[in-house]
Amino acid sequence: MRIFSNPEQAGHNPRDEFFRGQRVPCFENPTRARYVLEALAARGVPVGSPTHDSTAVLAEVHAPRYLAFLQDAWRQWLALDGANADVQPFPSVWPVRTLRSDVEPANFIARLGLYAMDNGSPLAAGTWAAAKGGADAAASAAHALLSGERAAFCATRPPGHHAGPDFMGGYCFLNNAAVAAQTLRQGGAARVAVLDVDYHHGNGTQAIFYRRADVLFVSLHGDPRTEYPFYLGHADETGEGEGAGFNLNLPLPAGTRPDAWFDALDAACQRVAAHGADALVVSLGLDTFGADPIAGFGLQADDFPRLGARLQRLALPTVMVLEGGYASAELGDNACHVLEGFEA
């Protein structure tokens, strides 16, 4: 299995975020990737840097004006006041129902609100480079499959599955899973499946592919009536237009135990198999771990090899992209357990 990392990831290191109304230290921070890379190194697994530039495929999954804003956002923030180098910008207004989103405001904080679904995804000086490096890793992993590799894993951060066509959110800025899926499509895979096993629904990935039949999106996640992102991820969201029937959500109540979770995973895998996909992209969120501080499922360390083995049984060329998982000290071993289960 090829492993790709993101040398720029540590540059995205904001101090704090807003979590359910309270300002707290960031759960999503560079230690997450460090623990994963250390666990891989301890097992003697080689890790490579990205080999492909994702710029062209990013333009296929994200809106041009959003990409332009994100790439230039920190410079714009500093241009307002040099002292902003030590200040994190947060949005304070959003274009909700009846408000217009087609005109980009001149005010920076209003622009930030236009492109952010929450105020829990703080920007930092290295945000763009880190997010772009993760997208490059996802594109590289997809190219590895197109070159004949059986599987690849992206040990990168920040995560990506909450980032939609023209918005950031949930610690996510660029949608790595969508980049991998689109790269596979452009490389000749007629049909691709994206399977999201993060505790939180991959609303951004769903939004990107919701009207498409060539990319199936399947997600099992915490019930959005009580769990982030709250406003998407219900079972009645099945796709629109050409994409009708190509979106499957399997919401589960907080507190779901492993046996029930694996029953849902089986249902998800059966839908993937029925899609007749040429390749699989897995949004590998590991915040399903019972000790995760911002999630509510009960998987334990010895459940993750079982997850990897179930994914392997699909017998598809597979890209796995690291998403959530905020019990940082355990994240590396949990990720390796999935890979070991897959390869066993």
mmCIF file of all heavy atoms in Angstrom, residues 38-70:
data_model
loop_
_atom_site.group_PDB
_atom_site.id
_atom_site.type_symbol
_atom_site.label_atom_id
_atom_site.label_comp_id
_atom_site.label_asym_id
_atom_site.label_seq_id
_atom_site.Cartn_x
_atom_site.Cartn_y
_atom_site.Cartn_z
ATOM 1 N N GLU A 38 4.092 8.800 13.264
ATOM 2 C CA GLU A 38 4.927 8.058 14.204
ATOM 3 C C GLU A 38 4.521 6.593 14.270
ATOM 4 O O GLU A 38 5.374 5.700 14.348
ATOM 5 C CB GLU A 38 4.846 8.702 15.586
ATOM 6 C CG GLU A 38 5.584 10.034 15.695
ATOM 7 C CD GLU A 38 5.404 10.695 17.044
ATOM 8 O OE1 GLU A 38 4.593 10.189 17.855
ATOM 9 O OE2 GLU A 38 6.061 11.714 17.296
ATOM 10 N N ALA A 39 3.218 6.330 14.237
ATOM 11 C CA ALA A 39 2.754 4.947 14.273
ATOM 12 C C ALA A 39 3.171 4.193 13.014
ATOM 13 O O ALA A 39 3.562 3.013 13.076
ATOM 14 C CB ALA A 39 1.243 4.909 14.438
ATOM 15 N N LEU A 40 3.115 4.856 11.867
ATOM 16 C CA LEU A 40 3.564 4.229 10.629
ATOM 17 C C LEU A 40 5.062 3.954 10.674
ATOM 18 O O LEU A 40 5.531 2.874 10.289
ATOM 19 C CB LEU A 40 3.216 5.126 9.442
ATOM 20 C CG LEU A 40 1.728 5.252 9.099
ATOM 21 C CD1 LEU A 40 1.497 6.422 8.152
ATOM 22 C CD2 LEU A 40 1.198 3.956 8.486
ATOM 23 N N ALA A 41 5.834 4.934 11.169
ATOM 24 C CA ALA A 41 7.286 4.762 11.249
ATOM 25 C C ALA A 41 7.657 3.626 12.188
ATOM 26 O O ALA A 41 8.592 2.857 11.915
ATOM 27 C CB ALA A 41 7.942 6.063 11.708
ATOM 28 N N ALA A 42 6.924 3.495 13.298
ATOM 29 C CA ALA A 42 7.213 2.435 14.255
ATOM 30 C C ALA A 42 7.002 1.056 13.649
ATOM 31 O O ALA A 42 7.610 0.070 14.090
ATOM 32 C CB ALA A 42 6.339 2.601 15.491
ATOM 33 N N ARG A 43 6.160 0.981 12.626
ATOM 34 C CA ARG A 43 5.898 -0.286 11.944
ATOM 35 C C ARG A 43 6.757 -0.456 10.703
ATOM 36 O O ARG A 43 6.587 -1.410 9.946
ATOM 37 C CB ARG A 43 4.413 -0.367 11.581
ATOM 38 C CG ARG A 43 3.503 -0.533 12.799
ATOM 39 C CD ARG A 43 2.055 -0.182 12.458
ATOM 40 N NE ARG A 43 1.121 -0.551 13.520
ATOM 41 C CZ ARG A 43 0.885 0.174 14.598
ATOM 42 N NH1 ARG A 43 1.543 1.328 14.770
ATOM 43 N NH2 ARG A 43 0.009 -0.217 15.507
ATOM 44 N N GLY A 44 7.648 0.497 10.480
ATOM 45 C CA GLY A 44 8.534 0.407 9.333
ATOM 46 C C GLY A 44 7.861 0.667 8.007
ATOM 47 O O GLY A 44 8.345 0.216 6.957
ATOM 48 N N VAL A 45 6.755 1.407 8.021
ATOM 49 C CA VAL A 45 6.005 1.673 6.796
ATOM 50 C C VAL A 45 6.543 2.954 6.143
ATOM 51 O O VAL A 45 6.529 4.018 6.766
ATOM 52 C CB VAL A 45 4.503 1.833 7.095
ATOM 53 C CG1 VAL A 45 3.735 2.167 5.825
ATOM 54 C CG2 VAL A 45 3.953 0.563 7.741
ATOM 55 N N PRO A 46 6.986 2.893 4.913
ATOM 56 C CA PRO A 46 7.496 4.103 4.254
ATOM 57 C C PRO A 46 6.366 5.061 3.879
ATOM 58 O O PRO A 46 5.277 4.637 3.497
ATOM 59 C CB PRO A 46 8.193 3.569 3.004
ATOM 60 C CG PRO A 46 7.526 2.259 2.730
ATOM 61 C CD PRO A 46 7.127 1.694 4.067
ATOM 62 N N VAL A 47 6.643 6.342 4.011
ATOM 63 C CA VAL A 47 5.670 7.389 3.714
ATOM 64 C C VAL A 47 6.287 8.337 2.696
ATOM 65 O O VAL A 47 7.426 8.787 2.860
ATOM 66 C CB VAL A 47 5.281 8.161 4.990
ATOM 67 C CG1 VAL A 47 4.320 9.301 4.655
ATOM 68 C CG2 VAL A 47 4.657 7.219 6.018
ATOM 69 N N GLY A 48 5.535 8.646 1.642
ATOM 70 C CA GLY A 48 6.032 9.522 0.594
ATOM 71 C C GLY A 48 5.299 10.845 0.537
ATOM 72 O O GLY A 48 4.206 11.001 1.097
ATOM 73 N N SER A 49 5.907 11.790 -0.134
ATOM 74 C CA SER A 49 5.287 13.095 -0.361
ATOM 75 C C SER A 49 4.434 13.033 -1.625
ATOM 76 O O SER A 49 4.569 12.116 -2.442
ATOM 77 C CB SER A 49 6.361 14.172 -0.504
ATOM 78 O OG SER A 49 7.086 14.313 0.710
ATOM 79 N N PRO A 50 3.547 14.015 -1.822
ATOM 80 C CA PRO A 50 2.718 14.028 -3.030
ATOM 81 C C PRO A 50 3.554 14.039 -4.303
ATOM 82 O O PRO A 50 4.642 14.635 -4.356
ATOM 83 C CB PRO A 50 1.916 15.326 -2.884
ATOM 84 C CG PRO A 50 1.852 15.568 -1.413
ATOM 85 C CD PRO A 50 3.174 15.097 -0.884
ATOM 86 N N THR A 51 3.040 13.377 -5.310
ATOM 87 C CA THR A 51 3.712 13.288 -6.604
ATOM 88 C C THR A 51 2.953 14.019 -7.704
ATOM 89 O O THR A 51 3.473 14.144 -8.818
ATOM 90 C CB THR A 51 3.858 11.817 -7.009
ATOM 91 O OG1 THR A 51 2.553 11.200 -7.015
ATOM 92 C CG2 THR A 51 4.761 11.067 -6.037
ATOM 93 N N HIS A 52 1.744 14.480 -7.415
ATOM 94 C CA HIS A 52 0.912 15.129 -8.427
ATOM 95 C C HIS A 52 0.300 16.416 -7.876
ATOM 96 O O HIS A 52 -0.041 16.500 -6.698
ATOM 97 C CB HIS A 52 -0.206 14.192 -8.894
ATOM 98 C CG HIS A 52 0.275 13.075 -9.770
ATOM 99 N ND1 HIS A 52 0.967 11.988 -9.268
ATOM 100 C CD2 HIS A 52 0.179 12.885 -11.111
ATOM 101 C CE1 HIS A 52 1.279 11.168 -10.265
ATOM 102 N NE2 HIS A 52 0.815 11.688 -11.384
ATOM 103 N N ASP A 53 0.150 17.369 -8.754
ATOM 104 C CA ASP A 53 -0.465 18.657 -8.431
ATOM 105 C C ASP A 53 -1.981 18.543 -8.625
ATOM 106 O O ASP A 53 -2.448 18.087 -9.672
ATOM 107 C CB ASP A 53 0.110 19.734 -9.359
ATOM 108 C CG ASP A 53 -0.373 21.131 -9.040
ATOM 109 O OD1 ASP A 53 -1.250 21.292 -8.170
ATOM 110 O OD2 ASP A 53 0.113 22.090 -9.684
ATOM 111 N N SER A 54 -2.739 18.959 -7.630
ATOM 112 C CA SER A 54 -4.201 18.843 -7.682
ATOM 113 C C SER A 54 -4.897 20.062 -8.272
ATOM 114 O O SER A 54 -6.127 20.112 -8.304
ATOM 115 C CB SER A 54 -4.741 18.611 -6.265
ATOM 116 O OG SER A 54 -4.452 19.722 -5.426
ATOM 117 N N THR A 55 -4.153 21.052 -8.755
ATOM 118 C CA THR A 55 -4.760 22.324 -9.164
ATOM 119 C C THR A 55 -5.890 22.134 -10.165
ATOM 120 O O THR A 55 -6.979 22.703 -10.012
ATOM 121 C CB THR A 55 -3.693 23.257 -9.752
ATOM 122 O OG1 THR A 55 -2.710 23.545 -8.748
ATOM 123 C CG2 THR A 55 -4.318 24.568 -10.219
ATOM 124 N N ALA A 56 -5.665 21.345 -11.192
ATOM 125 C CA ALA A 56 -6.678 21.194 -12.239
ATOM 126 C C ALA A 56 -7.932 20.508 -11.709
ATOM 127 O O ALA A 56 -9.058 20.922 -12.005
ATOM 128 C CB ALA A 56 -6.097 20.412 -13.420
ATOM 129 N N VAL A 57 -7.761 19.471 -10.904
ATOM 130 C CA VAL A 57 -8.933 18.751 -10.416
ATOM 131 C C VAL A 57 -9.655 19.547 -9.339
ATOM 132 O O VAL A 57 -10.885 19.447 -9.193
ATOM 133 C CB VAL A 57 -8.547 17.341 -9.925
ATOM 134 C CG1 VAL A 57 -7.818 17.379 -8.604
ATOM 135 C CG2 VAL A 57 -9.770 16.447 -9.823
ATOM 136 N N LEU A 58 -8.946 20.379 -8.585
ATOM 137 C CA LEU A 58 -9.616 21.243 -7.615
ATOM 138 C C LEU A 58 -10.644 22.133 -8.293
ATOM 139 O O LEU A 58 -11.731 22.391 -7.756
ATOM 140 C CB LEU A 58 -8.598 22.104 -6.860
ATOM 141 C CG LEU A 58 -7.853 21.424 -5.715
ATOM 142 C CD1 LEU A 58 -6.739 22.323 -5.209
ATOM 143 C CD2 LEU A 58 -8.813 21.070 -4.581
ATOM 144 N N ALA A 59 -10.316 22.609 -9.490
ATOM 145 C CA ALA A 59 -11.248 23.456 -10.233
ATOM 146 C C ALA A 59 -12.484 22.686 -10.696
ATOM 147 O O ALA A 59 -13.492 23.299 -11.068
ATOM 148 C CB ALA A 59 -10.541 24.079 -11.431
ATOM 149 N N GLU A 60 -12.410 21.357 -10.669
ATOM 150 C CA GLU A 60 -13.561 20.535 -11.036
ATOM 151 C C GLU A 60 -14.501 20.291 -9.862
ATOM 152 O O GLU A 60 -15.678 19.971 -10.064
ATOM 153 C CB GLU A 60 -13.084 19.183 -11.589
ATOM 154 C CG GLU A 60 -12.246 19.285 -12.845
ATOM 155 C CD GLU A 60 -13.057 19.727 -14.049
ATOM 156 O OE1 GLU A 60 -14.241 19.362 -14.118
ATOM 157 O OE2 GLU A 60 -12.497 20.441 -14.896
ATOM 158 N N VAL A 61 -14.004 20.387 -8.637
ATOM 159 C CA VAL A 61 -14.846 20.074 -7.476
ATOM 160 C C VAL A 61 -15.168 21.303 -6.619
ATOM 161 O O VAL A 61 -16.090 21.244 -5.793
ATOM 162 C CB VAL A 61 -14.220 18.965 -6.602
ATOM 163 C CG1 VAL A 61 -14.067 17.683 -7.388
ATOM 164 C CG2 VAL A 61 -12.890 19.386 -6.009
ATOM 165 N N HIS A 62 -14.423 22.401 -6.791
ATOM 166 C CA HIS A 62 -14.691 23.614 -6.019
ATOM 167 C C HIS A 62 -14.891 24.798 -6.964
ATOM 168 O O HIS A 62 -14.331 24.838 -8.060
ATOM 169 C CB HIS A 62 -13.538 23.917 -5.067
ATOM 170 C CG HIS A 62 -13.417 22.957 -3.928
ATOM 171 N ND1 HIS A 62 -14.372 22.833 -2.944
ATOM 172 C CD2 HIS A 62 -12.440 22.062 -3.610
ATOM 173 C CE1 HIS A 62 -13.996 21.914 -2.071
ATOM 174 N NE2 HIS A 62 -12.831 21.425 -2.456
ATOM 175 N N ALA A 63 -15.679 25.774 -6.515
ATOM 176 C CA ALA A 63 -15.965 26.962 -7.316
ATOM 177 C C ALA A 63 -14.724 27.849 -7.419
ATOM 178 O O ALA A 63 -13.990 28.020 -6.434
ATOM 179 C CB ALA A 63 -17.109 27.748 -6.684
ATOM 180 N N PRO A 64 -14.494 28.450 -8.585
ATOM 181 C CA PRO A 64 -13.294 29.272 -8.761
ATOM 182 C C PRO A 64 -13.176 30.414 -7.751
ATOM 183 O O PRO A 64 -12.081 30.667 -7.239
ATOM 184 C CB PRO A 64 -13.439 29.802 -10.190
ATOM 185 C CG PRO A 64 -14.266 28.771 -10.892
ATOM 186 C CD PRO A 64 -15.231 28.277 -9.859
ATOM 187 N N ARG A 65 -14.273 31.098 -7.443
ATOM 188 C CA ARG A 65 -14.147 32.244 -6.539
ATOM 189 C C ARG A 65 -13.846 31.782 -5.110
ATOM 190 O O ARG A 65 -13.183 32.499 -4.355
ATOM 191 C CB ARG A 65 -15.389 33.136 -6.586
ATOM 192 C CG ARG A 65 -16.634 32.568 -5.943
ATOM 193 C CD ARG A 65 -17.734 33.620 -5.882
ATOM 194 N NE ARG A 65 -18.864 33.148 -5.086
ATOM 195 C CZ ARG A 65 -19.894 33.924 -4.738
ATOM 196 N NH1 ARG A 65 -19.942 35.192 -5.119
ATOM 197 N NH2 ARG A 65 -20.879 33.430 -4.001
ATOM 198 N N TYR A 66 -14.322 30.605 -4.737
ATOM 199 C CA TYR A 66 -13.979 30.065 -3.414
ATOM 200 C C TYR A 66 -12.500 29.731 -3.346
ATOM 201 O O TYR A 66 -11.816 30.080 -2.373
ATOM 202 C CB TYR A 66 -14.821 28.820 -3.115
ATOM 203 C CG TYR A 66 -14.372 28.080 -1.878
ATOM 204 C CD1 TYR A 66 -14.426 28.686 -0.622
ATOM 205 C CD2 TYR A 66 -13.868 26.781 -1.955
ATOM 206 C CE1 TYR A 66 -13.997 28.016 0.514
ATOM 207 C CE2 TYR A 66 -13.445 26.103 -0.822
ATOM 208 C CZ TYR A 66 -13.514 26.725 0.418
ATOM 209 O OH TYR A 66 -13.092 26.062 1.539
ATOM 210 N N LEU A 67 -11.970 29.078 -4.366
ATOM 211 C CA LEU A 67 -10.548 28.753 -4.387
ATOM 212 C C LEU A 67 -9.700 30.025 -4.357
ATOM 213 O O LEU A 67 -8.683 30.087 -3.651
ATOM 214 C CB LEU A 67 -10.214 27.922 -5.621
ATOM 215 C CG LEU A 67 -10.798 26.502 -5.667
ATOM 216 C CD1 LEU A 67 -10.547 25.881 -7.037
ATOM 217 C CD2 LEU A 67 -10.203 25.630 -4.570
ATOM 218 N N ALA A 68 -10.133 31.027 -5.099
ATOM 219 C CA ALA A 68 -9.380 32.284 -5.128
ATOM 220 C C ALA A 68 -9.371 32.934 -3.750
ATOM 221 O O ALA A 68 -8.338 33.451 -3.296
ATOM 222 C CB ALA A 68 -9.979 33.222 -6.169
ATOM 223 N N PHE A 69 -10.513 32.924 -3.077
ATOM 224 C CA PHE A 69 -10.568 33.514 -1.742
ATOM 225 C C PHE A 69 -9.686 32.749 -0.773
ATOM 226 O O PHE A 69 -8.892 33.338 -0.032
ATOM 227 C CB PHE A 69 -12.009 33.528 -1.221
ATOM 228 C CG PHE A 69 -12.095 33.903 0.237
ATOM 229 C CD1 PHE A 69 -11.971 35.224 0.628
ATOM 230 C CD2 PHE A 69 -12.258 32.931 1.210
ATOM 231 C CE1 PHE A 69 -12.008 35.577 1.971
ATOM 232 C CE2 PHE A 69 -12.297 33.273 2.558
ATOM 233 C CZ PHE A 69 -12.188 34.606 2.937
ATOM 234 N N LEU A 70 -9.811 31.433 -0.758
ATOM 235 C CA LEU A 70 -9.078 30.637 0.215
ATOM 236 C C LEU A 70 -7.571 30.781 0.021
ATOM 237 O O LEU A 70 -6.809 30.904 0.988
ATOM 238 C CB LEU A 70 -9.497 29.172 0.089
ATOM 239 C CG LEU A 70 -8.999 28.217 1.169
ATOM 240 C CD1 LEU A 70 -9.493 28.648 2.539
ATOM 241 C CD2 LEU A 70 -9.470 26.796 0.871
#
